Amino acid sequence: MAAAPFVHAQCGCSPRLGGGFRNGKHGSVGSTSYPCSSTAPCPSSSSPPPPSSSSSSSSSSSSSSIGISNNRNYHGFRAQAMSTTTRGTSPQGTTTLKNEPDHLLVLVHGIQGSPSDWLYVEAELKRRLGRNFLIYASSTNAYAKTFDGIDGAGRRLADEVTQVVQKTDGLKKISFLAHSLGGLFARYAVAVLYSASASLTDQSEDYSSTSSNLEKSSSKQGLIAGLEPINFITLATPHLGVRGRRQLPFLLGVRFLEKLAAPMAPFVAGRTGAQLFLTDGKPNKPPLLLRMASDCEDGKFLSALGAFRCRILYANVSYDHMVGWRTSSIRREKELVKPPRRSLDGYKHVVDVEYCPPISSDGPHFPREAARAKEAAQNEPSIKNTVKYHEIMEEEMIQGLQQLGWKKVDVSFHSAFWPFLAHNNMHVKYEWLHNAGAGVVAHVADSLKQQESSTIIAASL
């Protein structure tokens, strides 16, 4: 598609290889595609432990189910208590020191949520992951603060993470686990927290060689809050926004309701609503979610995501009333195929896992036709105008984000007693109501443990 360059309205930055921008004022701020540590699936240990409810037969297939299938009482900051060094006695009678947790796992809730949303997940992860992880449930964007805008909430989250890191000794690694809108807050926050390593800063602009070198070690890609980034995991997050057919499923795909939703969104969900429907800003300025699919003057969004060793998307294939399958899995409509109905062994309702390697792209762009379509969608929100604008934006966002490798995990609650609770089942918001998602949480925990094991192995080599 021949498209005008994605030119920023104020400074005139134009795109460069990898979705970044350059001009005389800002200099070089481009990025290449930063995949997982290799073009193969995320590194794995020999065999992650299955859930406690699994039989011995499910134990033997646990490793492959986390990998690639053939088809495809919170309270806030517990850093001091959890990072306190404890003493033990060796068999020889000498006193030894047990390791402090060195891996910070940040839990980020969704719209109008609170840290208490993570009670079940927090308890389960502590049980399964052991003492290496410091699990911290974010509280800075609770309830109505989620309506302040993705950028505002993202900056608050970044400040919160920085304070946790500064107050906690011994941290070396960092991961994020976010639900729903929290995934977008986390994407913005990691860009604020990102710092390129010296090895990258000093390299020349040979992007092909840089990309090759980045695959060898995530520590060479950059740091997040001064720590080595390991996992970035989202659960039912609208990465492409909620504009478009069935992207906001409770509207039932009715075009008239979807047309009315966009102009009403800012009144219901504030700045966040406008950003989710891609109508934020002036007509000639790219919407925030499009800018977040690139490296630009607003932040190194793609580089920050690319610094993580592994990026995993959990997406509901159906029965999610808030977030559609396409937007949560970063796929095009034609890429949605009928998922298997059988769960992976040991992980009920997890039906498929697919690794999508990075794809080279010169996107995203914001062509003139997109600016015209945005203006029409803002001022005259007819079905024709809104559909055209969304189709352009969706493709450009996908082209930007697919420059990174993603593991995509499909979840189906079709056999659950209450399948329409799928959105909150994903992270078992209330155990008595959403316990159908226990298998998903087990899969997340084992994926985290698997990646932790491979990191320890790599560090010892």
Side-chain angles (χ1 to χ4, degrees), residues 46-48 58-70 344-345 347 353 443 450:
S46 57
S47 178
S58 65
S59 176
S60 62
S61 60
S62 169
S63 179
S64 61
S65 65
I66 292 179
I68 309 305
S69 72
N70 292 329
L344 300 182
D345 290 342
Y347 305 104
V353 182
H443 193 274
Q450 177 179 318

Side-chain angles (χ1 to χ4, degrees), residues 14-15 22 44-47 57-58 94 115 131 144 204 219 298 322 329 350 367 383 432:
S14 59
R22 173 197 289 180
S44 63
S45 59
S46 57
S47 178
S57 60
S58 65
T94 58
R131 301 179 61 85
S204 64
S219 63
D298 292 333
M322 292 295 292
S329 63
V350 176
I383 293 176
W432 60 273

Side-chain angles (χ1 to χ4, degrees), residues 121-354:
V121 172
E122 191 175 1
E124 191 67 8
L125 292 182
K126 286 179 181 178
R127 184 177 71 84
R128 290 175 173 269
L129 298 180
R131 301 179 61 85
N132 287 342
F133 284 81
L134 168 60
I135 302 173
Y136 177 79
S138 171
S139 60
T140 192
N141 290 310
Y143 305 115
K145 287 185 177 181
T146 57
F147 297 151
D148 292 347
I150 295 168
D151 47 350
R155 282 189 287 267
R156 285 197 297 266
L157 176 59
D159 291 341
E160 184 181 26
V161 171
T162 299
Q163 292 176 27
V164 174
V165 173
Q166 291 174 345
K167 294 178 181 178
T168 310
D169 295 331
L171 293 178
K172 298 178 181 178
K173 296 169 285 187
I174 188 170
S175 293
F176 286 80
L177 173 59
H179 175 251
S180 192
L181 182 61
L184 297 178
F185 296 166
R187 279 177 52 192
Y188 198 99
V190 297
V192 175
L193 297 169
Y194 173 77
S195 59
S197 65
S199 58
L200 281 181
T201 305
D202 296 340
Q203 286 177 358
S204 64
E205 296 178 7
D206 182 351
Y207 293 103
S208 60
S209 64
T210 301
S211 179
S212 176
N213 290 335
L214 289 173
E215 293 180 4
K216 297 178 182 179
S217 172
S218 67
S219 63
K220 295 183 180 180
Q221 295 184 21
L223 303 175
I224 302 295
L227 306 176
E228 180 185 1
I230 306 298
N231 298 282
F232 189 90
I233 305 174
T234 63
L235 312 173
T237 289
H239 291 283
L240 307 178
V242 296
R243 175 184 286 272
R245 186 166 177 80
R246 297 190 182 277
Q247 298 288 64
L248 194 58
F250 75 82
L251 298 177
L252 305 177
V254 178
R255 292 294 182 94
F256 176 71
L257 295 179
E258 292 179 341
K259 181 193 77 171
L260 292 178
M264 291 296 295
F267 297 99
V268 177
R271 292 185 67 241
T272 301
Q275 291 167 350
L276 287 173
F277 277 91
L278 313 177
T279 54
D280 54 300
K282 297 180 179 179
N284 62 343
K285 183 176 181 179
L288 177 63
L289 290 188
L290 181 60
R291 304 198 301 274
M292 286 174 61
S294 69
D295 279 2
C296 62
E297 70 278 4
D298 292 333
K300 291 185 174 291
F301 299 105
L302 209 61
S303 294
L305 278 178
F308 288 86
R309 287 183 179 268
C310 192
R311 291 160 297 278
I312 310 179
L313 307 171
Y314 286 79
N316 280 312
V317 304
S318 59
Y319 296 106
D320 191 323
H321 64 290
M322 292 295 292
V323 179
W325 187 14
R326 225 165 60 241
T327 184
S328 56
S329 63
I330 313 180
R331 290 185 176 114
R332 301 172 177 87
E333 184 74 39
K334 63 182 180 181
E335 296 171 343
L336 301 180
V337 298
K338 188 175 181 179
R341 297 184 68 82
R342 181 182 178 184
S343 301
L344 300 182
D345 290 342
Y347 305 104
K348 192 172 183 180
H349 302 303
V350 176
V351 297
D352 200 12
V353 182
E354 176 188 16

Side-chain angles (χ1 to χ4, degrees), residues 20 55 112 157 249 252 308 363 374 425-426:
S55 64
Q112 284 194 301
L157 176 59
L252 305 177
F308 288 86
K374 181 181 180 181
N425 284 346
M426 190 75 86

